[in-house]
């Protein structure tokens, strides 16, 4: 009972609020569409400090070693990773391990235990291309920097959403609402009769350890054009 309660609390801190994810896919497909960018906030960049580059290299090495066992998503599922929005086929699929997510939400960053494995889809084929690390929704810049240096990577979070039942833009409803909705202020949401949600999920950062170009290894989005899309929104 206590363990279940702790898990629920930790996941609540990670996710920040209840999330409706699968209904509003279409507006998030474009790589840099305005609707996507207005709902994303990035951590600040910091000047490089001694040891930052070495820490980043060590994280990538740990992730690369971890990924070696999960080229096949079936192996990932056996290890406790589950595809988010399993009924949908997305260009990029996140397979998430809830136990790892809880540890991350509790502030226990482990480069060898990412929250999610990221697969790129080509037809029915899935290729493992990266990982995602997460942090508590309330984590500050110093906490994020201690996990993955802000001089190397930009953490991101998803913010400022307005929901209204039956009006998700991805379902052909009112394009003001949902994951890709045009509303971006609480006042506008209230005026439209919607339900405001300041933040979905916690902080997250992507790593692409198989990339050889250092500029691509910590890209916010999948660096080869598919976009880091999952969970009904860009992750």
């Amino acid at each position: 009972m206590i363990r279940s309660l702790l898990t629920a609390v930790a996941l609540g801190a990670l996710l920040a609020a209840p999330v409706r994810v699968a209904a509003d896919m279409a507006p998030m497909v474009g790589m840099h569409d305005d609707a996507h960018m207005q709902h994303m906030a990035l951590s600040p960049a910091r000047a490089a400090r001694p040891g930052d580059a070495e820490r980043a290299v060590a994280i990538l090495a740990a992730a690369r070693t971890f990924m070696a066992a999960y080229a096949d998503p079936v192996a990932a599922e056996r290890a406790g990773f589950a595809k988010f929005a399993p009924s949908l086929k997305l260009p990029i699929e996140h397979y998430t391990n809830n136990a790892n997510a809880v540890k991350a939400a509790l502030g226990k960053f482990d480069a060898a235990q990412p929250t999610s494995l990221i697969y790129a889809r080509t037809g029915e084929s899935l290729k493992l291309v990266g990982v995602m690390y997460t942090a508590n929704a309330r984590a500050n810049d110093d906490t994020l920097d201690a996990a993955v240096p802000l001089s190397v990577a930009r953490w991101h979070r998803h913010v400022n959403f307005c929901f209204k039942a039956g009006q998700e833009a991805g379902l052909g409803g009112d394009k003001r609402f949902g994951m890709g909705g045009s509303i971006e202020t609480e006042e506008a949401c209230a005026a439209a009769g919607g339900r405001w949600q300041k933040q979905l999920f916690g902080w997250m950062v992507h790593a692409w350890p198989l990339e050889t170009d250092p500029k691509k290894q910590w890209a916010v989005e999948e660096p080869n054009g598919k976009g880091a899309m999952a969970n009904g929104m860009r992750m």
Side-chain angles (χ1 to χ4, degrees):
M1 178 67 178
I2 293 176
R3 176 176 291 182
S4 298
L5 179 60
L6 289 174
T7 298
V9 170
L11 282 174
L14 174 65
L15 300 178
V19 179
R20 301 166 62 208
V21 293
D24 195 18
M25 308 300 299
M28 291 302 181
V29 174
M31 275 295 292
H32 296 291
D33 53 276
D34 292 341
H36 164 42
M37 298 310 292
Q38 76 187 22
H39 296 301
M40 177 181 281
L42 298 178
S43 63
R46 286 187 173 180
R49 291 179 296 183
D52 280 2
E54 290 79 8
R55 281 204 294 135
V57 167
I59 293 169
L60 291 172
R64 196 177 299 117
T65 298
F66 185 81
M67 290 168 64
Y70 303 112
D72 185 342
V74 173
E77 291 176 333
R78 281 198 287 260
F81 288 83
K83 173 176 150 34
F84 218 98
S87 63
L88 300 173
K89 293 181 180 179
L90 306 176
I92 287 288
E93 304 282 12
H94 284 59
Y95 280 65
T96 297
N97 185 298
N98 284 340
N100 292 354
V102 169
K103 292 176 185 176
L106 294 174
K108 300 175 182 178
F109 177 79
D110 185 346
Q113 295 291 322
T115 294
S116 301
L117 292 161
I118 304 175
Y119 295 84
R121 176 179 294 280
T122 302
E124 296 299 317
S125 176
L126 293 178
K127 178 182 178 181
L128 182 59
V129 292
V131 301
M132 183 174 76
Y133 296 104
T134 54
N136 194 292
R138 299 175 181 83
N140 60 29
D141 295 344
D142 289 337
T143 298
L144 299 178
D145 182 70
V148 178
L150 298 182
S151 63
V152 174
R154 303 292 295 276
W155 290 77
H156 64 279
R157 57 194 176 110
H158 299 285
V159 298
N160 302 335
F161 295 94
C162 186
F163 295 105
K164 191 171 184 179
Q167 292 296 321
E168 290 80 11
L171 294 179
D174 192 322
K175 295 186 182 301
R176 294 175 297 169
F177 301 105
M179 299 289 192
S182 61
I183 292 177
E184 55 184 303
T185 68
E186 187 171 5
E187 294 75 16
C189 185
R195 175 178 59 83
W196 181 250
Q197 197 155 316
K198 178 63 179 176
Q199 181 172 337
L200 300 180
F201 312 110
W203 284 99
M204 52 195 76
V205 64
H206 295 128
W208 314 102
L210 304 182
E211 294 290 336
T212 56
D213 182 349
K215 293 180 180 179
K216 293 183 177 183
Q217 290 173 333
W218 294 101
V220 175
E221 308 234 2
E222 197 280 326
N224 296 307
K226 286 184 177 290
M229 184 177 177
N231 295 18
M233 66 188 302
R234 285 176 173 278
M235 291 295 287

